[in-house]
Amino acid sequence: MCSDGRMERKRIMDDRSNVVLKLNGVSKSFAKVEQDEVTHALDHVDLEMESGEFISLVGPSGCGKSTVLRLVAGLIRPTLGSVTVNENEVDGPSPQRGMVFQKSTLFPWLTVEKNIAFPLKAQGKLKENEDKVEHMLDVIGLRHFRNDYPGQLSGGMAQRVALVRTLISQPQILLLDEPLGALDAFTRMNMQDEILSMWREKRQLALMVTHDVDEAIYMGTRVIVMDANPGRIIADIRIEEDFPRNRSSQGFIAYRNMILNRLHFAGEK
Ligand code: ADP
């Protein structure tokens, strides 16, 4: 690694808001209802991540990607092993670990503007951050819909609101469970850039599940490839390309081929 990289790493480590997130030998099993069987959603997963990283999780359905996010969010507990943030065990949800789900989870009784402002209001920080709400309305192109309720929006519009509602409070760890899956290609690419610019400004730790290999490479500093039965990590690939990335560069295409190759062989024992 070049000395610039070392300096950057040292700067991040010196920053007291730095977080180190670890999955230590994590297994998670679920009982199958009405069957005497168990699903091994994750089997002895070890993973270490820190602020400044953007981790993309890819793999076939059922390989445990969402389970990883839900464990880090503190929504579920491991069957074996532990999840820690700066050596403290995660034992429940925290505003420092903000999650965006596949389907938008807006408050139906609040307008678009009030949904976006909600986290700031809950933390008593709305007054000094009102311009952020305005900025977010512009980012998602919904200024004219600020007084509408979620039930009046399309699925894609609602998802954009859900995304910025989580981003606005700048959690230390940003958990993204296929946040852009429901968007059209053009909006999706805009949102990818917007998420990246917010992440680069604050250097949080971002952990994103996606089915889209190009999105994983375009956004990730690391791509974790998983496989199912039992859920586990089969590759941990550092993406050594500068931002903004060029989807048609030779380096990008090489990463795409490498990851698709790993995914192609996923499932073969
Ligand atoms: P992915 O996000 O990679 O598609 P998941 O993490 O959602 O995978 O699920 C991994 C495995 O665990 C799947 O076989 C899924 O059916 C099972 N699973 C996940 N959550 C539960 C649950 N709450 N109860 C029972 N089985 C579950």
Side-chain angles (χ1 to χ4, degrees), residues 18-227:
N18 183 61
V19 291
V20 176
L21 168 65
K22 288 186 195 167
L23 275 68
N24 311 290
V26 168
S27 296
K28 179 67 186 174
S29 306
F30 294 103
K32 281 189 185 165
V33 182
E34 293 170 12
Q35 289 173 40
D36 196 12
E37 271 182 57
V38 167
T39 302
H40 297 289
L42 293 175
D43 186 40
H44 287 93
V45 170
D46 290 307
L47 189 58
E48 184 170 333
M49 301 153 274
E50 65 182 8
S51 301
E53 290 194 288
F54 197 115
I55 314 277
S56 302
L57 291 176
V58 295
S61 279
C63 69
K65 302 179 296 295
S66 297
T67 300
V68 170
L69 288 201
R70 284 185 291 142
L71 285 162
V72 175
L75 299 172
I76 53 174
R77 303 289 302 271
T79 309
L80 281 177
S82 63
V83 179
T84 59
V85 175
N86 292 349
E87 307 295 331
N88 298 312
E89 190 147 352
V90 169
D91 59 2
S94 153
Q96 288 305 338
R97 283 173 268 119
M99 180 122 161
V100 181
F101 294 90
Q102 283 168 24
K103 288 195 181 137
S104 84
T105 47
L106 299 175
F107 301 120
W109 60 89
L110 294 181
T111 61
V112 165
E113 179 179 350
K114 290 199 167 132
N115 262 287
I116 295 173
F118 184 84
L120 296 174
K121 194 168 180 204
Q123 293 167 23
K125 296 180 185 164
L126 182 55
K127 269 227 144 20
E128 64 268 35
N129 285 299
E130 265 164 0
D131 55 330
K132 272 196 189 168
V133 178
E134 296 302 317
H135 174 67
M136 290 300 184
L137 282 165
D138 283 338
V139 164
I140 58 175
L142 292 182
R143 180 174 281 279
H144 297 305
F145 296 86
R146 64 194 304 151
N147 295 319
D148 282 12
Y149 289 88
Q152 296 172 272
L153 306 177
S154 71
M157 289 156 96
Q159 187 63 350
R160 276 139 70 193
V161 178
L163 184 62
V164 296
R165 186 186 58 178
T166 301
L167 289 171
I168 204 166
S169 57
Q170 297 175 340
Q172 285 178 325
I173 300 178
L174 186 57
L175 302 168
L176 305 162
D177 194 352
E178 284 217 71
L180 308 179
L183 305 184
D184 65 89
F186 186 66
T187 311
R188 187 170 184 152
M189 284 199 264
N190 280 340
M191 289 302 291
Q192 287 171 352
D193 288 334
E194 195 54 45
I195 294 172
L196 281 176
S197 80
M198 289 186 221
W199 163 76
R200 293 188 71 190
E201 194 185 321
K202 296 291 166 195
R203 308 296 287 177
Q204 303 114 312
L205 167 59
L207 189 51
M208 178 180 75
V209 168
T210 177
H211 274 107
D212 182 334
V213 172
D214 274 23
E215 182 168 277
I217 302 166
Y218 186 75
M219 300 181 74
T221 56
R222 265 163 86 188
V223 177
I224 308 286
V225 185
M226 297 180 68
D227 194 9

